[in-house]
């Protein structure tokens, strides 16, 4: 029997949570064609895994690489940690459908640049990625904030009936064109004035396509309980599955609150469809003027357009150097993004440990001093939280990074090692895997990743990127 590629002597972790099995795995074309003991098979290329772990490529359900997949198609920060599929368009902001690239309100301006490519129809964005694929598979949610920018005359108020109708029609079209679901971000200024009814109207359209309502909730700090109640109400009213993005309880006053929020999610799950993801870090990252600095024990500047030299520096130190108070320094740095030390380690571990939690990076590729989550999220879970802390087993960690998000978002043929599945694969050493990125030096690949394959083609090896661009555009099932 002949295959293009055979992995020999691997510790196969299939993504379902089942215990690892030692064996071989054969790939032909884009798919896995055989697994187990394969002594009679020959491969065009054979890789001796030496007992290291071969797993399905990881799926990152929450990133902001809508633009980066076009401008930085190698996606090194993604593939270098074993991620083979990403979901873009989160927090209410998708790069398509967008009618104009002029004067986008923040954070869209920061996410998509000063002059983003304009894809008036979602189908145009999809066509571009299908003709110029990046290294990773990507899917994209349709952002409610983007729809508001297109249709709502004044972003400081809720949409009126005509505007809601126009957004609904646009969402309906975009989901028909391959959008994988809806994302909302009532936390952010472009959508802060949206009413719960407006969000329910969007969720109804999403439900009619059998898709999910994915949300950066209105509040993740002092009013996280009310925000979660609103999210659950939207799901019930629209009969739509809801997904809480990068779940956290931010601010010293809210440390420990995840006991309550996870209890609410657990109870809600008995009568409605609810999921969540989270990042394995106690610092968050968002717009510098989000108000988060008042709840944070420390703030680092990730990026500042007027003061790029401040990237990576402590906001309090910058203020002291400039002889100003914190708020004045913050204003001078805008537009900017910050890294906010704002969460309790016990909450991070409790949310990570919750059996339905997926792992996400919330990353944006690029920038000189990003949050280390951009390069280090998945390796940090496998190294720090699995091996060093013992939060859960390796098999369980891999499940949360593979079959769980694949099934939840309808990414057929992804997230499992099984015959017939797409050959999205990562080979890693469980004894040495860990993040290379730190808050001080955030642009560093993960350690312990041997090689990464997307649709049967190698995109990352021990030395670095291979230059292959085999990523498919995923529209879900
Ligand atoms: Zn967000």
């Amino acid at each position: 029997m002949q295959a293009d590629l055979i992995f020999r002597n691997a510790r196969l972790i299939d993504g379902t949570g089942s215990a690892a099995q030692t064996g071989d795995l054969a790939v032909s074309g884009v798919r896995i064609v055989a697994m187990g003991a394969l002594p009679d098979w020959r491969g065009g290329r054979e890789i001796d895994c030496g007992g290291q772990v071969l797993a399905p490529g990881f799926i990152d359900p929450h990133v902001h690489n809508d633009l980066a997949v076009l401008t930085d198609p190698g996606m090194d920060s993604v593939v270098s940690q074993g991620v083979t599929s990403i979901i873009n368009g989160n927090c209410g902001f998708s790069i398509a459908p967008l009618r104009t690239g002029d004067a986008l309100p923040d954070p869209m301006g920061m996410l998509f640049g000063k002059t983003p490519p304009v894809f008036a129809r979602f189908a145009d964005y999809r066509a571009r990625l299908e003709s110029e694929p990046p290294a990773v598979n990507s899917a994209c949610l349709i952002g409610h904030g983007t729809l508001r920018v297109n249709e709502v005359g004044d972003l400081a108020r809720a949409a009126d009936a005509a505007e809601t109708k126009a957004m609904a029609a646009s969402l309906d079209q975009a989901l028909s064109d391959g959008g994988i679901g809806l994302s909302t971000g009532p936390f952010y200024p472009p959508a802060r004035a949206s009413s719960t009814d407006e969000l329910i109207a969007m969720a109804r359209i999403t439900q009619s396509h059998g898709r999910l309502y994915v949300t950066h909730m209105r509040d993740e700090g002092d009013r996280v309980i009310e925000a979660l109640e609103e999210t659950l109400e939207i799901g019930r009213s629209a009969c739509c599955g809801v997904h809480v993005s990068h779940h956290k309880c931010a601010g010293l006053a809210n440390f420990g609150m995840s006991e309550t929020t996870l209890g609410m999610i657990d109870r809600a799950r008995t009568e409605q469809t609810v999921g969540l993801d989270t990042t394995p870090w106690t610092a968050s990252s968002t717009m510098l003027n989000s108000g988060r600095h008042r709840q944070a024990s420390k703030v680092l500047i990730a990026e500042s357009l007027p003061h790029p030299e401040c990237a990576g520096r402590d906001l309090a130190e910058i203020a002291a150097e400039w002889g100003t108070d914190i708020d004045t320094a913050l204003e001078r740095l805008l537009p900017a993004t910050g890294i906010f030390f704002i969460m309790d380690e016990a909450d991070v571990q409790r949310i990570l440990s919750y059996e339905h939690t997926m792992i996400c990076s919330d990353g944006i590729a690029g920038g000189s001093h990003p949050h280390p989550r951009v390069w280090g999220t998945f390796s940090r879970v496998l190294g720090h939280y699995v091996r060093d802390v013992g939060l859960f087993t390796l098999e369980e960690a891999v499940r949360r990074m593979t079959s769980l998000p694949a099934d939840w978002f309808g990414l057929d043929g992804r997230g499992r090692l099984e015959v017939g599945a797409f050959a999205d694969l990562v080979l890693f050493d469980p004894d040495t895997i860990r993040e290379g990125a730190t808050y001080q030096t955030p642009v560093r690949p993960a350690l312990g990743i041997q090689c990464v394959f997307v649709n049967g083609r190698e995109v990352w090896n021990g030395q670095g990127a291979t230059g292959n661009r085999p990523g498919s555009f995923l529209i879900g099932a």
Side-chain angles (χ1 to χ4, degrees), residues 2-224:
Q2 183 72 31
D4 295 338
L5 169 68
I6 298 182
F7 294 87
R8 297 279 183 201
N9 185 28
R11 190 171 150 199
L12 302 168
I13 293 185
D14 70 2
T16 66
S18 301
Q21 310 256 358
T22 298
D24 309 332
L25 183 144
V27 173
S28 275
V30 299
R31 294 184 191 268
I32 298 170
V33 293
M35 277 172 68
L38 306 174
D40 301 332
W41 285 70
R42 292 291 165 268
R45 178 182 172 195
E46 302 210 356
I47 297 174
D48 182 1
C49 302
Q52 294 186 348
V53 169
L54 186 65
F58 307 138
I59 296 168
D60 191 337
H62 191 109
V63 295
H64 296 280
N65 290 331
D66 312 31
L67 178 63
V69 286
L70 302 170
T71 59
D72 179 18
M75 291 275 95
D76 289 0
S77 60
V78 172
V79 297
S80 61
Q81 49 182 321
V83 172
T84 56
S85 297
I86 57 176
I87 298 180
N88 284 314
N90 275 286
C91 300
F93 307 111
S94 55
I95 201 166
L98 189 59
R99 214 170 284 149
T100 171
D102 294 342
L104 291 176
D106 277 329
M108 287 177 75
M110 304 244 12
L111 287 173
F112 303 139
K114 279 213 162 85
T115 52
V118 171
F119 301 101
R121 302 176 317 149
F122 188 76
D124 301 335
Y125 178 65
R126 175 181 173 183
R128 171 78 178 273
L129 280 170
E130 284 174 340
S131 65
E132 296 172 44
V136 291
N137 304 313
S138 67
C140 193
L141 298 160
I142 307 304
H144 165 247
T146 301
L147 300 176
R148 277 179 70 85
V149 166
N150 287 337
E151 308 292 352
V152 178
D154 176 4
L155 293 173
R157 58 165 174 75
D160 65 24
E163 290 160 344
T164 301
K165 206 173 157 198
M167 287 195 294
S170 177
L171 175 62
D172 189 42
Q173 183 64 54
L175 291 172
S176 297
D177 289 344
I180 202 153
L182 167 71
S183 84
T184 71
F187 170 82
Y188 285 109
R192 201 169 282 163
S194 58
S195 63
T196 304
D197 283 345
E198 178 182 331
L199 297 171
I200 290 170
M202 297 302 110
R204 289 213 167 99
I205 302 297
T206 312
Q207 189 275 340
S208 74
H209 287 261
R211 304 293 184 170
L212 295 168
Y213 172 98
V214 178
T215 185
H216 179 148
M217 298 194 300
R218 205 177 282 279
D219 195 288
E220 298 176 303
D222 295 344
R223 306 192 65 176
V224 64

Side-chain angles (χ1 to χ4, degrees), residues 222-236:
D222 295 344
R223 306 192 65 176
V224 64
I225 302 290
E226 290 100 308
L228 180 54
E229 275 168 357
E230 181 189 40
T231 301
L232 298 174
E233 182 197 338
I234 290 164
R236 283 193 303 271

